[in-house]
Amino acid sequence: MKPFWFNENERIVRIIYSDKHINPKTNKLRSNFIYFRLNLKSQKYELSCSRFEFESISFLRSFGKETEDSKFGRIYYGLGCSNIKSILSQKNCIPFYSPILLGNRINLFHTDIYDKLGTLISGEADNAINNHRKDQFLGIWCPYKDNGNSFTKEVITPYI
């Protein structure tokens, strides 16, 4: 099922916090980067992202810095990037355009990725099939370090 309001080449980004989301020794994303939370209103497992082609880098950068919390290893690092085609290639994952209010800001280009099976939840012991599925989903994301003026690709090309 292809959502009609997305282009398959459209990039989807998610804020990376070091050391929480990325291993500083290997520059590889950690599995908690793809933590799907249960939304009690919708009863769906969601991964919060933004539509890169529509959202400004300055908004993403300032939001990442505003939501830092050094006590918990939540220091803004950069952006994880994937695309709609890669997301749709994952079994039972679907993007959903969902603008939201973030404090005093409106994120008009917020997108949730729904895991219709509810099996991509990070930190839980799981069977081999679901662990493989989590690894594949993590593999479609490329981390980019924010250098202030530009972003540097930190890891190998995404899975697919």
Side-chain angles (χ1 to χ4, degrees):
M1 176 174 150
K2 180 180 175 189
F4 67 87
W5 53 84
F6 290 99
N7 179 301
E8 69 178 18
N9 296 316
E10 183 180 333
R11 292 172 290 180
I12 299 296
V13 294
R14 183 166 163 69
I15 294 173
I16 299 173
Y17 297 97
S18 68
D19 298 324
K20 184 179 174 86
H21 290 151
I22 196 156
N23 182 327
K25 293 178 184 172
T26 64
N27 289 330
K28 290 192 177 186
L29 290 169
R30 296 177 189 225
S31 63
N32 65 352
F33 174 73
I34 57 166
Y35 179 73
F36 283 72
R37 294 179 187 211
L38 178 62
N39 180 327
L40 296 176
K41 277 186 171 180
S42 69
Q43 289 297 302
K44 294 181 181 183
Y45 288 94
E46 303 173 342
L47 183 68
S48 188
C49 303
S50 288
R51 299 174 79 175
F52 187 72
E53 267 67 38
F54 299 101
E55 191 56 83
S56 73
I57 289 176
S58 61
F59 174 88
L60 294 167
R61 182 178 283 141
S62 65
F63 181 70
K65 290 181 179 186
E66 287 172 13
T67 54
E68 288 181 326
D69 190 342
S70 59
K71 291 182 285 185
F72 298 103
R74 196 175 157 104
I75 307 299
Y76 174 70
Y77 177 89
L79 300 174
C81 183
S82 189
N83 63 43
I84 294 297
K85 183 177 183 178
S86 296
I87 292 165
L88 291 174
S89 74
Q90 303 298 299
K91 187 174 183 178
N92 292 303
C93 285
I94 189 160
F96 182 76
Y97 176 55
S98 53
I100 61 169
L101 181 64
L102 299 167
N104 61 350
R105 292 184 186 200
I106 297 174
N107 183 350
L108 292 176
F109 305 107
H110 180 267
T111 295
D112 285 312
I113 298 172
Y114 291 148
D115 175 19
K116 297 192 293 184
L117 293 179
T119 56
L120 288 174
I121 304 162
S122 200
E124 292 184 354
D126 216 335
N127 65 44
I129 292 171
N130 286 336
N131 283 334
H132 177 68
R133 196 168 156 250
K134 288 176 192 175
D135 289 344
Q136 281 187 315
F137 188 75
L138 185 62
I140 67 171
W141 295 88
C142 262
Y144 290 85
K145 182 177 175 122
D146 188 343
N147 296 316
N149 296 326
S150 64
F151 288 85
T152 306
K153 189 174 181 179
E154 292 294 319
V155 208
I156 58 172
T157 306
Y159 168 85
I160 290 290

